Amino acid sequence: MPVGAVRESLKATTGLGKRNRTLTREFVVYLTIFLCIFKDVATDEVLRHLFEGLESLFAGKDVLRASDAAISKARLAVGEDPMRHLFRTQCRPLCRGNDKYAFYKGMRKLAIDASEFYLQCTEDVLAEFPTCEADAKNPQNCSKIKFGAVMETGSHAYVDVEYGTVLDSEQDFADALVGRLGAGNLLIGDRYYRSVLNIRRVKGQGSEALFRATDGMALAPVKRLYDGSHLAVIRAGKDKNRHQAKFPAEGKSVTVRVIPFVIRNEKGQVIETGRLVTTLLDPAKYHSQELIDLYVERWEEEMGFDEIKAHLMTGAHDSLRSKKAKLVKQEFWAMLMAHYLIRKIMYEASGLAEALPNKISFVGCRNLLRRKTTAKRFPPREDEQGETVEARR
C-alpha cells in the first residue's frame, strides 16, 4: 500500500490538509490499518510498533506521546472517505491470466456473499447502526455493520464491498455490487442472489452467473439437455418489484440452465440435494459436474470471513474497537484492507514458491507482517509501486 497511493486517496477526498507534526494524515491511514492487524493490542502499543517503520511520515518523536484522545481526533480528521477510496483503488483482483486455478474457461472466478461485524454498543454507534426490534423477522440485540462482498476465489482477496445496517437486505448490497461487476467474470452465489434482476445485470455486463436456486423456485423445463440438465425461464416475482423498479430496462424474465446436484457423505448416503441455475447454457462446453464443483468454491468466501473474524479479530462475536460511528466506518474499510494486504503477501509468496495461495498459512503470514512492521522498507518506496513478482525474481 505505497504512500503515494495513500496521498492520492487523501487528495482525492479530504485533501492533505494542514500538516500535523505529531500525527500526519498519511500516518493515521497506516495506523488505522495496523490497528486491525494488531486487533488484540492496545492503541498506544500499536503506535510503538509502527514508530520505526513509519518514521519518514512524521517529524520528531512526539508521536509516541500521542494520547488515545489525540489519536481519535486525528482519525476523525481523516474520516472514512480516504479509506474507502484507498480500498476501491488498491484492492483489485490479484490473479493473473496464467493462474489457471483462478479462472474457468477464461472467466475470473468471483464469489458474492454477505456477513456482519459486531460493534461497540455506544449511543453514538447505535444511532447509525440500530438493532432490529424484538418482533422483527431476525431480531438483533447488538449493534452490527452488515455488508455484502465480492471475493476473487483464487486469491481470497475481497475486491468490492458495500455496507449498511442490519435493516438492509443482501439484495440491497447486490444492487451495487452487481452493477460494478464488469466483464469477463463468473459470479458464484447462493440462493439469495438467483433473482432475474441479478442474472440479467450480470449477463448484460459480459459476465456469467452461477447461483443456487431456492427449493420452491419454479423451474419448469422448456428444453431437456442430454446431460440431465434443462433450460427454464425464470420470471420475476411480485416480491422483487422494489428492486425491479430500480432497473426497469433489465426485463422481468431470463432463460437459465438448471443443474440438479446431490451431496453424499463418505458412506455414499444422500445428505443434501439442490439445483443450480446458470447463464452457461451449453452442456458440451460447460459440463454439469464442472459447474457443480465450481459452486463449491463459493465457500471460499465464507473462509475469508472466518479469516477476518477468527484471526484478525478474536472470534465471531468480537467487535470493532471504535466507539464512534464515523470511526466505525473508517475502521471497517481498514479491516478489509488489512485482510487484503495479508492475502496480497500470500499471493506474491505463492508465485515465488510456485505453490497455490491456499497452501500458505494466513496466520503465519499475519504473524510475519507483525514481526516485520518496523522494517525500513515499510511502506513501499515510490519506485517500488509498479514492481512485480516476476521483476523481483
Side-chain angles (χ1 to χ4, degrees):
M1 201 65 81
V3 68
V6 173
R7 287 174 177 153
E8 282 299 315
S9 290
L10 287 165
K11 183 178 179 181
T13 52
T14 61
L16 292 176
K18 183 179 178 180
R19 182 174 176 84
N20 182 320
R21 294 187 63 83
T22 302
L23 293 169
T24 67
R25 294 193 172 202
E26 300 97 321
F27 177 80
V28 171
V29 168
Y30 284 113
L31 174 61
T32 306
I33 294 172
F34 272 87
L35 284 171
C36 298
I37 293 174
F38 291 89
K39 173 65 173 63
D40 56 342
V41 178
T43 302
D44 60 346
E45 190 63 25
V46 177
L47 207 60
R48 294 183 177 89
H49 277 293
L50 292 180
F51 176 72
E52 290 184 15
L54 292 178
E55 62 183 352
S56 63
L57 294 184
F58 51 83
K61 298 185 178 181
D62 290 341
V63 65
L64 293 179
R65 292 193 291 271
S67 64
D68 285 354
I71 294 171
S72 180
K73 183 177 179 180
R75 287 182 58 198
L76 285 169
V78 170
E80 172 195 8
D81 292 345
M83 307 299 286
R84 179 175 57 238
H85 186 276
L86 192 61
F87 176 87
R88 296 242 190 269
T89 56
Q90 298 299 307
C91 298
R92 310 310 305 158
L94 293 170
C95 296
R96 302 179 180 88
N98 59 349
D99 296 321
K100 295 182 180 179
Y101 58 86
F103 295 85
Y104 174 69
K105 309 289 187 182
M107 296 175 286
R108 187 183 301 274
K109 294 183 289 186
L110 302 176
I112 184 171
D113 205 349
S115 189
E116 55 195 16
F117 296 149
Y118 280 90
L119 305 178
Q120 304 275 351
C121 289
T122 65
E123 184 176 347
D124 185 71
V125 170
L126 286 167
E128 288 207 37
F129 296 95
T131 61
C132 291
E133 298 297 332
D135 58 351
K137 181 178 179 180
N138 295 303
Q140 307 281 343
N141 59 4
C142 185
S143 183
K144 298 178 183 178
I145 185 169
K146 185 177 178 181
F147 61 97
V150 173
M151 167 190 274
E152 180 184 48
T153 62
S155 65
H156 275 208
Y158 290 105
V159 297
D160 198 9
V161 172
E162 197 73 22
Y163 77 81
T165 74
V166 292
L167 303 181
D168 296 307
S169 71
E170 292 189 31
Q171 184 60 53
D172 290 321
F173 305 135
D175 287 343
L177 295 172
V178 171
R180 296 194 292 260
L181 182 65
N185 302 302
L186 174 61
L187 186 64
I188 307 169
D190 63 17
R191 66 190 75 191
Y192 292 105
Y193 303 99
R194 82 295 181 260
S195 69
V196 170
L197 175 62
N198 288 340
I199 293 172
R200 289 184 64 93
R201 293 181 72 211
V202 168
K203 188 70 176 177
Q205 294 178 74
S207 289
E208 305 290 347
L210 177 64
F211 300 142
R212 181 171 180 172
T214 54
D215 293 339
M217 197 171 179
L219 296 170
V222 297
K223 182 181 179 180
R224 295 192 179 276
L225 303 174
Y226 70 87
D227 66 341
S229 63
H230 67 266
L231 301 184
V233 176
I234 305 176
R235 293 179 173 80
K238 293 182 180 180
D239 61 330
K240 301 300 179 184
N241 286 344
R242 180 169 68 90
H243 294 286
Q244 197 75 38
K246 293 182 181 180
F247 311 96
E250 295 297 335
K252 296 185 178 181
S253 65
V254 64
T255 299
V256 296
R257 180 174 162 210
V258 182
I259 303 173
F261 67 87
V262 177
I263 299 177
R264 300 178 183 273
N265 61 18
E266 295 179 352
K267 297 180 180 180
Q269 299 169 323
V270 176
I271 58 176
E272 186 178 354
T273 61
R275 298 170 298 171
L276 303 178
V277 294
T278 181
T279 54
L280 300 171
L281 305 182
D282 186 352
K285 187 175 181 180
Y286 309 107
H287 194 278
S288 293
Q289 189 58 52
E290 290 180 347
L291 298 182
I292 293 170
D293 293 341
L294 280 174
Y295 177 73
V296 175
E297 294 193 29
R298 184 190 75 79
W299 290 101
E300 300 296 320
E301 184 155 15
E302 297 283 357
M303 293 172 63
F305 293 146
D306 181 71
E307 288 168 353
I308 295 176
K309 294 178 182 180
H311 304 307
L312 285 179
M313 304 170 75
T314 59
H317 290 89
D318 189 15
S319 62
L320 299 183
R321 70 169 77 205
S322 299
K323 297 182 180 180
K324 295 182 179 180
K326 290 182 179 180
L327 297 185
V328 163
K329 298 173 184 177
Q330 181 190 72
E331 185 182 352
F332 170 76
W333 295 110
M335 184 64 75
L336 294 172
M337 282 189 280
H339 179 268
Y340 182 89
L341 292 175
I342 294 172
R343 272 289 160 186
K344 184 177 182 181
I345 294 171
M346 294 171 67
Y347 172 74
E348 292 183 352
S350 71
L352 293 169
E354 299 182 351
L356 295 176
N358 63 6
K359 298 299 183 181
I360 296 175
S361 168
F362 181 89
V363 174
C365 189
R366 180 209 63 185
N367 293 342
L368 175 66
L369 185 56
R370 285 184 171 196
R371 293 197 303 272
K372 299 297 183 180
T373 296
T374 58
K376 298 303 181 182
R377 288 173 62 86
F378 176 79
R381 297 192 308 268
E382 298 304 316
D383 60 355
E384 294 179 322
Q385 290 189 45
E387 191 179 18
T388 64
V389 172
E390 287 75 11
R392 286 198 295 277
R393 283 178 174 172

